[in-house]
Amino acid sequence: MNGEQYTTQLRKPFFASSDDPAYVVHEDTFYQLRSVIVDEVVETHPVLRLFDSEDDPSTAIDGSGEGALPEADQRAVGIAHMAARARGNEGGFPSGLVQRGGYVYRSEEAREESELLAEDGPAYVTYRDATYEVEIDHEQFHEPVYRPTAEPVADDSEHIETILVATLVGARVTGDDLSTEAQQILSEASDDDYSETHPFSDAYTEVLRALDKRAYIDGNIRKDAGVRSNENEMIQYGDTYHEFFLRFGNEADT
């Protein structure tokens, strides 16, 4: 960045946060990459929303077919369709894509390419056998302005490993800490999934305590354990780092 006060909007630089830091090495120095908010700007962006239509007009444009609409519009219709489909139904929609009940055209290139945003743009589109009425609004967005930062944190690989372990690794477990049966459970889990039905065996209870997952043992599992499927954690087992996650199976208390 050559000392310049470079800034960006919308997305955090480096896709980094305090919970999920990013690092880079440059000329034998390791830097932690983050960002700070230094300002706020008000931007006006077009928002595409789709609404169910009882009509089936012949002028409706295919929102998913190749060549019918520009690529930017096809993406917009696909995302706005998720919001339209979710209205009044259970299941919701991907909040990272859908915003304000539709799709926000933030890219200048996408706006210039779009046919839906044109004054004479189509009033109806079809998508997956459904016909939607097109609604375009121009709305204000308050967006933070980020300044990237790169803080030097280490001068060698051993030091950066220590930093990463302190940042990312939770429980530290050695073979001497566990019984033979508990070690066998971890060995089996490293090759394939391992599961038990509550109440757990002594060996599995031992493993859960070593992983500092006591809520699975002592409390109301579903209420107290903070169970989140597919969210990996890291442990150090012996001299090796492992990712692991706990999840419920088909049985209510498995």
Side-chain angles (χ1 to χ4, degrees), residues 177-233:
D177 298 330
L178 301 174
S179 66
T180 302
E181 293 80 6
Q183 292 181 49
Q184 182 59 38
I185 289 175
L186 287 178
S187 176
E188 183 175 338
S190 67
D191 296 329
D192 199 357
D193 289 346
Y194 179 86
S195 63
E196 285 195 14
T197 300
H198 194 267
F200 304 127
S201 67
D202 291 343
Y204 194 44
T205 299
E206 185 181 350
V207 169
L208 292 174
R209 287 201 176 108
L211 299 179
D212 196 21
K213 295 299 179 181
R214 290 168 175 78
Y216 286 82
I217 306 167
D218 304 322
N220 180 322
I221 297 176
R222 285 193 174 275
K223 181 177 179 181
D224 302 331
V227 177
R228 287 167 289 186
S229 180
N230 297 327
E231 184 163 320
N232 289 15
E233 299 181 47

Side-chain angles (χ1 to χ4, degrees), residues 48-64 69 73-89 92-93 98 101-102 116 121-136:
L48 166 68
R49 297 184 182 91
L50 300 179
F51 294 91
D52 292 328
S53 173
E54 297 180 357
D55 300 326
D56 190 14
S58 58
T59 55
I61 300 294
D62 184 357
S64 57
L69 283 174
D73 284 338
Q74 291 180 39
R75 171 177 168 79
V77 168
I79 293 174
H81 152 78
M82 298 176 187
R85 180 184 58 187
R87 293 189 190 105
N89 296 317
F93 51 76
V98 173
L116 292 177
Y124 297 89
V125 296
T126 58
Y127 191 86
R128 295 187 178 177
D129 300 324
T131 300
Y132 294 105
E133 184 176 355
V134 174
E135 179 182 286
I136 303 291

Side-chain angles (χ1 to χ4, degrees), residues 7-196:
T7 60
T8 185
Q9 292 171 222
L10 184 58
R11 295 179 177 86
K12 287 185 178 181
F14 316 122
F15 300 98
S17 65
S18 18
D19 294 332
D20 187 19
Y23 296 88
V24 66
V25 59
H26 176 62
E27 295 182 352
D28 298 325
T29 299
F30 293 86
Y31 296 84
Q32 181 175 355
L33 306 179
R34 289 183 293 190
S35 62
V36 294
I37 296 176
V38 296
D39 203 351
E40 181 184 74
V41 295
V42 179
E43 300 280 7
T44 300
H45 300 305
V47 181
L48 166 68
R49 297 184 182 91
L50 300 179
F51 294 91
D52 292 328
S53 173
E54 297 180 357
D55 300 326
D56 190 14
S58 58
T59 55
I61 300 294
D62 184 357
S64 57
E66 293 185 5
L69 283 174
E71 185 176 340
D73 284 338
Q74 291 180 39
R75 171 177 168 79
V77 168
I79 293 174
H81 152 78
M82 298 176 187
R85 180 184 58 187
R87 293 189 190 105
N89 296 317
E90 296 181 357
F93 51 76
S95 58
L97 296 175
V98 173
Q99 296 180 15
R100 297 200 184 181
Y103 176 80
V104 181
Y105 284 85
R106 282 191 163 88
S107 163
E108 187 65 33
E109 181 180 354
R111 296 181 205 179
E112 293 177 354
E113 178 185 349
S114 172
E115 293 181 7
L116 292 177
L117 299 180
E119 291 186 5
D120 58 348
Y124 297 89
V125 296
T126 58
Y127 191 86
R128 295 187 178 177
D129 300 324
T131 300
Y132 294 105
E133 184 176 355
V134 174
E135 179 182 286
I136 303 291
D137 290 310
H138 291 76
E139 300 182 3
Q140 285 190 337
F141 291 78
H142 293 79
E143 299 179 349
V145 177
Y146 298 96
R147 177 179 297 152
T149 64
E151 181 179 356
V153 293
D155 294 325
D156 57 66
S157 57
E158 292 183 1
H159 190 187
I160 192 63
E161 181 177 357
T162 300
I163 292 172
L164 291 172
V165 169
T167 303
L168 302 173
V169 179
R172 321 296 166 88
V173 184
T174 67
D176 295 337
D177 298 330
L178 301 174
S179 66
T180 302
E181 293 80 6
Q183 292 181 49
Q184 182 59 38
I185 289 175
L186 287 178
S187 176
E188 183 175 338
S190 67
D191 296 329
D192 199 357
D193 289 346
Y194 179 86
S195 63
E196 285 195 14

